[in-house]
Amino acid sequence: MTKRLLLRAADARDVERIAALHVASWQQHYRGILPDEYLDQRAWDERLTLWRQRFAAASPPWVRLALWYGESVGFVCLLPDEAPERGVYLDNLHVLPGQQGRGVGRALMAAAAAEALRVAPGRPLYLWVYQANHAACGFYRSLGGVASTPREVDTAAGSRAQALSYQWDDPSRLL
């Protein structure tokens, strides 16, 4: 990690910042996947509510915020107990539009992999991504993720979309 990029633990004081990053990423990458009405009118309130609930929980999730010269540019969230039989679930990885190509996503993935190895040694790391999110799919492939067969899933907007799961049987390969 360079001096330009800092990853730090997020907490309840970062809820609005995380929700804003989440929505900005969705608005950029999920057009045509989620309805525009949802992205433009409902996503903010729903993501803000979600992150408030998560950080108010007795055991808040593991979240790392990426700061580029002090500005929030991305975040990653692990939910290790979501489906332990499957592995450690990486629920969110978002980098602001225009910030890709600086190594932020790779640094966030490495941090998530290190945490996965710490909390669940020997378990794979996995995530879900919309199949139509070609940039994200390419990124995960470039990191050695193995894709599943596509399947139709419910979206946060209440619609359906094709999704892939990417998995790393050995998360240490992301370090």
Side-chain angles (χ1 to χ4, degrees):
M1 220 174 314
T2 68
K3 292 181 181 180
R4 297 176 294 234
L5 179 64
L6 170 70
L7 301 185
R8 70 163 175 82
D11 61 34
R13 293 169 293 192
D14 296 307
V15 164
E16 288 190 11
R17 184 181 306 200
I18 291 168
L21 290 165
H22 202 160
V23 172
S25 177
W26 279 15
Q27 287 174 334
Q28 175 72 27
H29 299 290
Y30 289 5
R31 295 275 175 207
I33 300 170
L34 300 181
D36 287 348
E37 177 275 330
Y38 173 79
L39 292 170
D40 297 333
Q41 297 175 24
R42 294 185 296 148
W44 168 254
D45 289 337
E46 289 184 13
R47 296 299 93 189
L48 185 58
T49 298
L50 170 84
W51 288 107
R52 281 182 176 152
Q53 290 171 346
R54 283 183 171 179
F55 280 107
S59 295
W62 181 92
V63 179
R64 291 298 177 267
L65 193 59
L67 304 169
W68 186 264
Y69 286 110
E71 177 188 343
S72 301
V73 295
F75 74 97
V76 64
C77 174
L78 286 182
L79 301 176
D81 298 321
E82 185 74 14
E85 71 285 354
R86 173 94 197 263
V88 177
Y89 180 47
L90 193 156
D91 182 48
N92 293 103
L93 174 73
H94 295 283
V95 176
L96 275 180
Q99 299 295 320
Q100 290 88 5
R102 293 181 169 171
V104 175
R106 287 181 184 275
L108 289 168
M109 283 295 291
E115 179 65 5
L117 289 164
R118 188 186 73 76
V119 299
R123 285 184 13 208
L125 178 67
Y126 76 99
L127 56 83
W128 286 96
V129 61
Y130 294 121
Q131 186 176 15
N133 187 348
H134 302 295
C137 291
F139 175 68
Y140 298 131
R141 276 193 309 275
S142 77
L143 295 177
V146 177
S148 67
T149 302
R151 80 174 202 202
E152 194 171 64
V153 298
D154 293 321
T155 71
S159 56
R160 305 275 292 161
Q162 291 292 313
L164 301 168
S165 172
Y166 279 87
Q167 182 165 310
W168 292 263
D169 288 334
D170 180 4
S172 71
R173 293 179 178 236
L174 293 165
L175 302 177

